[in-house]
Amino acid sequence: FDRAGHGPRQAGRRGCRRRFARGRVQGAGGPPFFSIVRSPRLTALAPALLRARKDAECLAAVGALSARTASDVRCGVAAAARSRDDAQLRAYVAEAAADEDTLKTLDDASLKAAMRGLAKKGDHRTAYSLLDALPAERRSPLLYHGAITACGRSRPIKGRTAMLLWRRMKEENVTVPRATYNALLHAAQGSLTENATSALLAAMDRDGVALNVVSYNVALNSLAKQGRFSEVLSLLEAMESASIKPTEVTFGTAINGAARANNSAAAVALLGAQTSVGLPLGDPAFASALEACLNDPDTAAGASRAAEVLDALAAADVSLKRRERVEELARAAISRNRAAVDDDRLKRDEDILGMVLQNRRVEV
C-alpha cells in the first residue's frame, strides 16, 4: 500500500478502488477478505481512505471488518456523516455511544458532523443517545442544538424530549443561544404542555436573548396551532413594539390563527395590515381569511367580510395556485347569507376574477 492508501501500486488506483468498494478479492466469490485477514497495513486502510476523502471506500472497508476497533468506528462515523449516509451514520453512532472507549476517540469535529447529520434526518433517538453517552464537559451548545433540532424535525415532533434537553442545558449551565431557542420554539409545537411556548419566551426575556423575526414567526405558529389566538395578537403587538419588521410568513401565520379561531374580523384586518406594509398577498393568506369568514358564527358578518376579501383579491392581481380551493371557500362563505352582499359588487368581482361566486338556480 502506498501512503495515500490506494493499494498496491502495480494494480493501479482504479482497480484497487473497485476491489475495496466491493470488499472482496478480485475474482473471488467468498466473504470479504477484510473479515479474514487483519494486518497492520489493513488497519491503516480506513484512516488513509478517510484522509483521502474516499468516503464510500472507507465505509466499505470499515463495514467489512469482523472486529472493529475504536479507530475503525470513528472512521465510519466521520465518513458516513460526510457522505450523508443516514443508515450507516445511525449504526456507527449507536455503536460508538455503546462503548466508552470508542466514544473517547471521537473528536469534536466528528461529533459535530455526526450530530448535524442526525439533526437533518430528524433522528432524535440516536441524537439523544449520543448526547446522553457523552460526559457533561463534552456536551457543547452546538451538540445540544443538533439534538433539539432533531426533535423538531422528527415526525411526529418530539416536543417533550426537546424541553427535557433544554432543562438539562440549564442545569449544566450551558449557554442557550438564540438559534437554539428558535429550534426549541419550533419543537414546542409538539409538546403536550400548553405553556411550553410561553415558558420559552419568558426564558428568552429573562436571559436577555433578543427575539428576531424567526423567533416571532416560530412562536406565532406554535400559538396559532394551539388555538391561542389572543396570545398571537399580543405577540404581534410585542413584535411591533420591538421594531421587528413582519414578513409574509408572519402575516400568513397570524391569519391562519384567525381562521382557527373563526375570527373573520381579525383575518380581514390582518389582510389589510399586510397590504399596508407593502407585502404581497398570496394563496394561503386569502384561503385562510375566507375560511375564517366561512366559519364565523355571525353568518351575515362572515359573508360581508368574505366580499371584502374578494375585493382585496381582485385588487391584488394575484396568480392563484389553488384557485379552485379559493373559489370554493368564497362561494360557500357568501352563500351563508347572500342578502349581506351587494349584487353589483359581487358581479364585478366575478368578472375580474373569472370565478363563479354565487350559487345560481337552474330553471327546468
Side-chain angles (χ1 to χ4, degrees), residues 122 152 201:
L201 291 174

Side-chain angles (χ1 to χ4, degrees), residues 130-183:
L130 174 60
L131 194 65
D132 195 48
L134 290 169
E137 61 270 16
R138 296 198 67 187
R139 296 177 194 146
S140 66
L142 192 59
L143 293 181
Y144 268 112
H145 177 81
I148 290 169
T149 301
C151 292
R153 290 183 176 174
S154 176
R155 291 297 177 271
I157 294 175
K158 301 300 178 182
R160 283 185 176 275
T161 306
M163 296 299 288
L164 176 64
L165 290 170
W166 173 56
R167 286 192 289 270
R168 179 182 284 188
M169 290 183 78
K170 304 296 284 185
E171 291 170 0
E172 295 176 1
N173 294 319
V174 178
T175 303
V176 186
R178 182 169 62 189
T180 303
Y181 268 118
N182 289 346

Side-chain angles (χ1 to χ4, degrees), residues 16-35:
C16 181
R17 186 180 301 120
R18 285 195 294 269
R19 287 199 298 277
F20 287 131
R22 290 196 301 268
R24 297 180 182 276
V25 179
Q26 190 171 17
F33 79 92
F34 298 119
S35 63

Side-chain angles (χ1 to χ4, degrees), residues 222-230 232 257 260-261:
S222 180
L223 293 171
K225 284 188 174 181
Q226 295 173 28
R228 298 156 66 180
F229 186 63
S230 60
V232 168
R260 288 174 179 269

Side-chain angles (χ1 to χ4, degrees), residues 242-260:
S243 299
I244 302 294
K245 291 184 178 180
T247 64
E248 293 175 50
V249 175
T250 308
F251 282 107
T253 303
I255 294 170
N256 180 259
R260 288 174 179 269

Side-chain angles (χ1 to χ4, degrees), residues 76-78 80-81 85-94 113-115 117-118 126:
V77 169
D85 190 324
D86 301 324
Q88 294 206 62
L89 177 61
R90 185 184 303 111
Y92 286 126
V93 167
M115 191 63 81
L118 295 170
T126 309

Side-chain angles (χ1 to χ4, degrees), residues 175-213:
T175 303
V176 186
R178 182 169 62 189
T180 303
Y181 268 118
N182 289 346
L184 281 163
L185 286 168
H186 174 71
Q189 299 173 57
S191 175
L192 298 178
T193 307
E194 285 192 3
N195 63 350
T197 302
S198 301
L200 289 168
L201 291 174
M204 291 180 75
D205 182 61
R206 187 169 56 251
D207 295 344
V209 179
L211 278 74
N212 59 7
V213 68

